[in-house]
């Protein structure tokens, strides 16, 4: 039994060895490939789109603006003046009184400031020293400070007027002294630019053009311009109207006393007269 088992085992071993040898000599079989699974075609990958960043809009190039010329009605006012009214009068050499008044009342500084900063024009009528000398003695000294300022401002117009423009002005003209009718001037001009001025008290004439620019005009005049408000003659006070009712009797304290006082000399004369009369009567009695 044991012998048979060994023979069977030997036979199996030989068979196994032969099979191994045969397998070793046979060509190697490549491993089976896995089945190919066809996937649907994929679209090509898209690269990210780089969107352009919008730049801020650039303003269009501006062409030079052609500014139309303004009409005279809309044209800007004249440029301020650098003139000095005091220097103009000093250069003329015969306006010492007016220069003193302009400085004392500060009207000169006001004129210079106005023509140099505000652009408003000024016209000044300048009386000469000879014109002031024709005034009644003490006229200027009799004026109050306020009246002196009004007198100086009465020679100033709040606009610059050339000689030729006086032909077209509308009278009466307002002065710097005030809006009252007593501070207005009537100015007339002939075709030859002969300018006359009336205040209601004085008729004056422009005798020279001292200075003129776009902001200031200074004219010499032969008389001091006297405003009605300051120099108008005062009317006399009306007489009292007599009353038609009878006068009232005087009060008791004002009634005259019925007793008349007698001074010493009168008393002495009465005594002497009484004694003389008594003596005459006594003599007459004894004679009977």
């Amino acid at each position: 039994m044991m012998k048979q088992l060994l023979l069977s085992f030997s036979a199996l071993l030989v068979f196994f060895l032969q099979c191994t040898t045969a397998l070793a000599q046979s060509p190697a079989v490549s491993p089976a490939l896995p089945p190919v699974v066809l996937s649907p075609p994929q679209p090509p990958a898209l690269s990210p789109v780089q969107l352009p960043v919008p730049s801020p809009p650039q303003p269009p190039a501006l062409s030079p603006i052609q500014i139309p010329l303004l009409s005279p009605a809309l044209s800007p006012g004249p440029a301020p003046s650098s003139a000095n009214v005091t220097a103009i009068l000093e250069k003329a050499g015969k306006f010492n009184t007016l220069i003193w008044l302009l400085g004392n009342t500060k009207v000169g500084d006001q004129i210079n400031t106005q023509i140099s900063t505000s652009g408003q024009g000024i016209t000044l009528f300048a009386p000469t020293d000879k014109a002031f000398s024709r005034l009644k003695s003490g006229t200027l000294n009799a004026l109050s400070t306020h009246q002196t300022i009004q007198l100086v401002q009465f020679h100033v117009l709040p606009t610059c007027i050339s000689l030729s423009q006086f032909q077209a002005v509308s009278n009466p003209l307002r002065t710097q002294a005030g809006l009252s009718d007593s501070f207005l001037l009537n100015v007339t001009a002939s075709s030859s630019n002969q300018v006359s001025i009336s205040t209601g008290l004085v008729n004056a004439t422009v005798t020279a053009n001292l200075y003129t620019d776009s902001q200031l005009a200074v004219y010499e005049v032969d008389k001091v311009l006297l405003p009605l408000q300051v120099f108008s003659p005062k009317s006399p006070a009306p007489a009292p109207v007599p009353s038609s009712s009878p006068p009232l009797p005087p009060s008791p304290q004002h009634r005259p006393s019925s007793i008349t006082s007698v001074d010493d000399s009168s008393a002495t004369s009465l005594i002497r007269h009484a004694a003389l009369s008594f003596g005459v009567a006594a003599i007459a009695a004894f004679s009977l």
Side-chain angles (χ1 to χ4, degrees):
M1 181 72 180
M2 193 67 175
K3 191 176 179 177
Q4 292 178 351
L5 289 171
L6 290 172
L7 289 174
S8 299
F9 179 77
S10 298
L12 290 171
L13 180 63
V14 170
F15 178 77
F16 178 77
L17 291 173
Q18 288 180 351
C19 289
T20 306
T21 304
L23 290 172
Q25 293 178 354
S26 63
V29 178
S30 61
L33 296 175
V36 177
V37 179
L38 297 177
S39 58
Q42 299 292 327
L46 299 177
S47 59
V49 178
Q50 299 293 329
L51 297 177
V53 178
S55 59
Q58 298 295 326
L62 299 177
S63 58
I65 299 176
Q66 300 295 329
I67 300 178
L69 295 177
L70 298 177
S71 60
L74 301 177
S75 60
S81 173
S82 60
N84 184 291
V85 65
T86 304
I88 294 171
L89 295 174
E90 288 176 345
K91 183 178 180 181
K94 51 182 175 180
F95 299 93
N96 295 324
T97 304
L98 180 59
I99 292 172
W100 179 83
L101 288 172
L102 289 171
N104 192 46
T105 60
K106 306 300 181 183
V107 175
D109 294 338
Q110 295 173 3
I111 293 175
N112 292 330
T113 300
Q114 184 168 334
I115 63 177
S116 63
T117 58
S118 68
Q120 283 186 298
I122 287 292
T123 298
L124 173 65
F125 296 116
T128 62
D129 292 334
K130 186 176 181 180
F132 278 103
S133 67
R134 294 195 186 103
L135 294 177
K136 185 179 178 181
S137 178
T139 298
L140 295 180
N141 294 332
L143 299 178
S144 65
T145 301
H146 182 64
Q147 289 174 329
T148 304
I149 294 174
Q150 288 178 324
L151 173 63
V152 178
Q153 291 178 332
F154 191 58
H155 292 73
V156 181
L157 303 181
T159 183
C160 181
I161 304 176
S162 66
L163 286 176
S164 59
Q165 290 174 332
F166 279 117
Q167 299 181 23
V169 295
S170 178
N171 286 301
L173 299 180
R174 183 175 68 89
T175 67
Q176 293 282 57
L179 298 176
S180 170
D181 292 344
S182 300
F183 291 118
L184 300 178
L185 292 176
N186 286 291
V187 182
T188 57
S190 65
S191 57
S192 59
N193 290 335
Q194 182 69 33
V195 178
S196 300
I197 308 165
S198 176
T199 72
L201 292 176
V202 174
N203 294 320
T205 302
V206 172
T207 54
N209 181 1
L210 300 178
Y211 181 87
T212 302
D213 64 13
S214 61
Q215 287 293 293
L216 177 65
V218 183
Y219 302 114
E220 175 186 320
V221 292
D222 60 349
K223 293 181 182 179
V224 179
L225 306 181
L226 304 179
L228 286 168
Q229 182 73 18
V230 179
F231 294 94
S232 59
K234 305 298 187 294
S235 58
V241 178
S243 176
S244 59
S245 60
L248 297 176
S251 58
Q253 61 268 27
H254 295 295
R255 290 177 181 173
S257 175
S258 57
I259 301 175
T260 305
S261 60
V262 182
D263 56 9
D264 295 342
S265 59
S266 299
T268 303
S269 299
L270 290 174
I271 294 172
R272 289 179 180 177
H273 181 72
L276 182 59
S277 299
F278 180 75
V280 172
I283 294 173
F286 283 116
S287 62
L288 294 175

